[in-house]
């Protein structure tokens, strides 16, 4: 009954137990969703052993007591939480340059893999406003003339016209839903800032508060003119990076803020400017930084000046320090803002033995536990960092190299899909926009034994706590995504008087979809 997907063209990665899927101008594996028949369920499995969206089918049965299950998950479809907006990745200069370095046919396969119905169906893109560290050099809009408050020279850069805009427009053309583009500034031109000569930390000059707000609006208009509407703009990328001593990035691609400065700028300049920028709704995303900073924003919005809340639609959060910040900090702080959303806007990894470990399943597991935890704590989506990088994890002018879901080999004209690409797809393809998370409870014990010699090792790692998530979709189905970090086992998913029994390969992520009438 299954439509035949083009299978992965396997190649060994940089170690014998690592696999990548190779794509070029004439061939690339595909992934097609199969609507589950009545009284049946469809499974999709990706595993360390080599399964890549391997499809299976089974019958929905009556629920039974007992049974030999490694995991039992009870669903409560009538208890609802957040509504999903989407999943995606970042169209950085590095990603777009690497995409453009491929032969034309491979460029098409790349965009189809990420955005089309035969790929993982991304519906969000994050784009830097001018450069980020993942550029070949720092640059800005309207660098000259200096002290130009009216921004009379705000125009397209080479990076826009040759790389970023073509990729984004290509994505819009093949996407299965509207692409929501989120934009963020790493730094304005140097003439807008003061730079401390010792620490190299930077701040926005007070006389350019309104100019910097206008800077964002001019970008929105510029991209809209090119056929790329902007869905949301953040208050600046990782402001904490520009607040203290700068060693790696320097002041080129960072800018710091104090609480007082951000309060004044957001209330008096940025908020009003973006609300009246182009006659359309532009979502204003606060923070765009690590989640441990959320209590500070809570202080700004709730204690300092509640009027600021009118100029914030949601919070953009990066996930690099999630393992060191309790997930409960989200609900604890967001209870004050029932009308605001939380969106993951940046995450990536580096390998333990090399920056770009080709085919490393462990990196896929890190993505699985990160996204599952985010979704379980009411995030409405997840935007990965670079869509693609080269074999060295760049280009990056500051040499801050990283890994990406797709690695481009410009010399051979091919690209490699990492395991994390498929892990991301288990969420982006099967949990469409407007899906709602439902209550799901693991009723079986966690397979974790604390270290008896370590008094602090009493709580299981987060990957065992956040090992699944469940959604009702606009397709009148339920989707359950389960991560298995252990040996192969069976899992029972119970809803009402019915049950789905799923086989989980060792070290795998499995998505299950079945019909559900409300």
């Amino acid at each position: 009954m299954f439509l035949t997907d083009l299978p992965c063209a396997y190649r060994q990665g940089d170690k014998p137990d690592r696999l990548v899927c190779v794509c070029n101008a004439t061939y690339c594996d595909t992934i097609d969703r199969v609507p589950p028949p009545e009284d049946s369920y469809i499974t999709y499995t990706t595993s360390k052993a080599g399964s890549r969206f391997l499809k299976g089918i089974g019958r929905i049965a009556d629920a039974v007591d007992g049974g030999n299950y490694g995991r039992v998950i009870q669903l409560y479809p009538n208890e609802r939480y957040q509504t999903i907006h989407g999943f995606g990745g970042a169209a950085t200069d590095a990603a777009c340059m690497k995409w453009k370095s491929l032969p034309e046919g491979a460029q098409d396969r790349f965009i189809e893999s990420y955005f089309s119905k035969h790929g993982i169906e991304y519906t969000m893109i994050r784009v830097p406003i001018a450069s980020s560290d993942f550029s070949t050099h720092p640059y800005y809009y309207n660098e000259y003339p200096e002290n130009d408050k009216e921004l009379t020279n705000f125009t397209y850069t080479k990076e826009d016209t040759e790389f970023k805009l073509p990729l984004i427009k290509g994505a819009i053309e093949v996407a299965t839903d509207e692409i929501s583009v989120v934009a963020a500034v790493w730094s304005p031109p140097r003439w807008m800032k003061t730079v401390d000569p010792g620490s190299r930390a930077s701040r926005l000059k007070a006389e350019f508060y309104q100019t910097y707000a206008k800077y964002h609006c001019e970008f929105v208009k510029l991209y809209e003119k090119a056929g790329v509407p902007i869905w949301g703009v953040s208050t600046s990328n990782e402001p904490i990076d520009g607040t203290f001593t700068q060693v790696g990035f320097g002041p080129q691609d960072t800018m710091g803020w104090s609480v007082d400065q951000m309060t004044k700028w957001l209330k008096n300049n940025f908020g009003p400017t973006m609300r009246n920028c182009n006659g359309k709704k532009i979502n204003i995303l606060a923070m765009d930084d690590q989640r441990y900073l959320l209590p500070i924003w809570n202080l700004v919005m709730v204690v300092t000046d509640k009027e600021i809340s009118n100029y914030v639609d949601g919070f953009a959060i990066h996930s690099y320090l999630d393992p060191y910040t309790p997930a409960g900090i989200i609900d604890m702080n967001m209870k004050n803002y029932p009308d605001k959303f939380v969106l993951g806007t940046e995450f990536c990894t580096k390998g333990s033995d090399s920056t770009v470990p080709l085919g490393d399943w462990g990196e896929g597991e890190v993505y699985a536990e990160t996204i599952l935890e985010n979704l379980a704590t009411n995030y409405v989506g997840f935007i990965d960092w670079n869509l693609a990088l080269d074999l060295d994890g760049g280009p990056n002018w500051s040499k801050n190299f990283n890994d990406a879901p797709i690695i481009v080999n410009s010399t051979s004209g091919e690209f490699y899909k990492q395991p994390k690409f498929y892990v991301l797809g288990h969420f982006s393809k099967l949990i469409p926009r407007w899906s709602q998370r439902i209550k799901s409870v693991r009723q079986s014990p966690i397979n974790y034994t604390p270290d008896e010699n370590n008094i602090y090792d009493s709580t299981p790692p987060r990957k065992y706590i956040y090992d699944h998530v469940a959604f009702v979709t606009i397709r009148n189905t339920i989707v359950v995504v389960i991560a298995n970090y252990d040996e192969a086992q069976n899992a029972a998913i119970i809803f009402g008087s019915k049950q789905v029994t799923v086989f989980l390969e060792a070290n795998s992520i499995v998505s299950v979809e079945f019909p559900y009438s409300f």
Side-chain angles (χ1 to χ4, degrees), residues 7-68:
C8 165
Y10 292 106
R11 184 180 297 173
Q12 181 179 307
D14 53 11
K15 289 189 175 181
D17 64 342
R18 294 177 177 177
L19 294 170
V20 296
C21 297
V22 183
C23 297
N24 54 38
T26 59
Y27 186 87
C28 196
D29 58 296
T30 58
I31 303 167
D32 284 290
R33 170 185 170 266
V34 176
E38 187 177 355
D39 298 327
S40 298
Y41 62 89
I42 303 294
T43 62
Y44 304 84
T45 298
T46 297
S47 68
K48 181 178 181 179
S51 294
R52 297 293 182 264
F53 265 80
L54 177 67
K55 294 187 180 80
I57 187 171
R59 300 283 291 184
I60 298 172
D62 292 332
V64 296
D65 294 329
N68 184 23

Side-chain angles (χ1 to χ4, degrees), residues 249-383:
F249 299 128
Q252 293 96 326
D253 270 328
T254 59
M255 186 172 71
W257 293 88
S258 69
V259 172
D260 181 61
Q261 288 170 328
M262 178 58 75
T263 300
K264 291 178 180 178
W265 180 70
L266 180 52
K267 176 182 176 180
N268 300 323
N269 307 103
F270 187 64
T273 297
M274 297 315 296
R275 287 288 187 250
N276 297 283
C277 178
N278 64 347
K280 300 176 182 178
K281 172 67 180 292
I282 300 171
N283 289 282
I284 298 176
L285 308 183
M287 212 165 85
D288 217 359
D289 214 326
Q290 315 305 323
R291 72 182 180 197
Y292 72 85
L293 295 167
L294 191 56
I296 297 176
W297 277 94
N298 192 358
L299 174 67
V300 170
M301 293 178 62
V302 176
V303 179
T304 307
D305 194 334
K306 294 183 180 179
E307 188 179 339
I308 292 177
S309 180
N310 297 326
Y311 296 124
V312 173
D313 298 296
F315 291 85
I317 298 183
H318 298 189
S319 294
Y320 297 111
L321 299 180
D322 283 7
Y324 313 104
T325 310
I329 199 173
I330 301 296
D331 287 339
M332 185 187 306
N333 285 274
M334 293 306 297
K335 66 183 179 182
N336 298 304
Y337 323 116
D339 60 332
K340 316 297 182 191
F341 60 82
V342 176
L343 174 66
T345 52
E346 189 177 316
F347 181 66
C348 67
T349 56
K350 294 182 181 180
S352 58
D353 48 21
S354 64
T355 300
V356 181
L358 287 177
D360 185 2
W361 176 256
E363 298 227 326
E365 288 193 343
V366 172
Y367 266 74
E369 66 183 74
T370 299
I371 300 172
L372 285 168
E373 182 187 61
N374 286 179
L375 294 177
T377 49
N378 292 317
Y379 285 54
V380 301
F382 180 92
I383 304 177

Side-chain angles (χ1 to χ4, degrees), residues 100-121:
K100 198 62 180 290
S101 72
L102 291 165
E104 187 172 335
Q107 291 179 31
D108 294 341
R109 303 293 88 73
F110 179 104
I111 288 179
E112 290 165 1
S113 292
Y114 266 127
F115 300 98
S116 80
K117 66 179 181 179
H118 301 302
I120 61 175
E121 298 188 56

Side-chain angles (χ1 to χ4, degrees), residues 46-49 71 323 347 349 359-373 382 403 418-424 427 461-464 466-467 482-487 505-509:
T46 297
S47 68
K48 181 178 181 179
R71 182 171 332 197
F347 181 66
T349 56
D360 185 2
W361 176 256
E363 298 227 326
E365 288 193 343
V366 172
Y367 266 74
E369 66 183 74
T370 299
I371 300 172
L372 285 168
E373 182 187 61
F382 180 92
D403 195 8
Q418 300 270 51
K420 68 179 74 173
F421 171 88
Y422 298 93
V423 170
L424 283 157
F427 302 95
R462 64 176 183 150
K463 69 180 184 179
Y464 290 108
Y466 302 101
D467 65 351
I482 308 171
N484 180 28
Y485 306 105
D486 298 309
E487 68 277 358
E505 285 190 37
N507 304 108
S508 66
I509 182 168

Side-chain angles (χ1 to χ4, degrees), residues 49-95:
S51 294
R52 297 293 182 264
F53 265 80
L54 177 67
K55 294 187 180 80
I57 187 171
R59 300 283 291 184
I60 298 172
D62 292 332
V64 296
D65 294 329
N68 184 23
Y69 304 116
R71 182 171 332 197
V72 177
I73 298 171
Q74 179 78 48
L75 305 183
Y76 300 89
N78 292 326
E79 295 192 42
R80 308 289 181 87
Y81 303 96
Q82 80 273 26
T83 299
I84 289 298
H85 188 76
F87 301 86
T92 60
D93 290 342

Side-chain angles (χ1 to χ4, degrees), residues 183-195:
V185 173
W186 267 241
S187 172
R190 290 288 294 270
W191 54 264
M192 287 193 198
K193 304 193 300 181
T194 61
V195 179

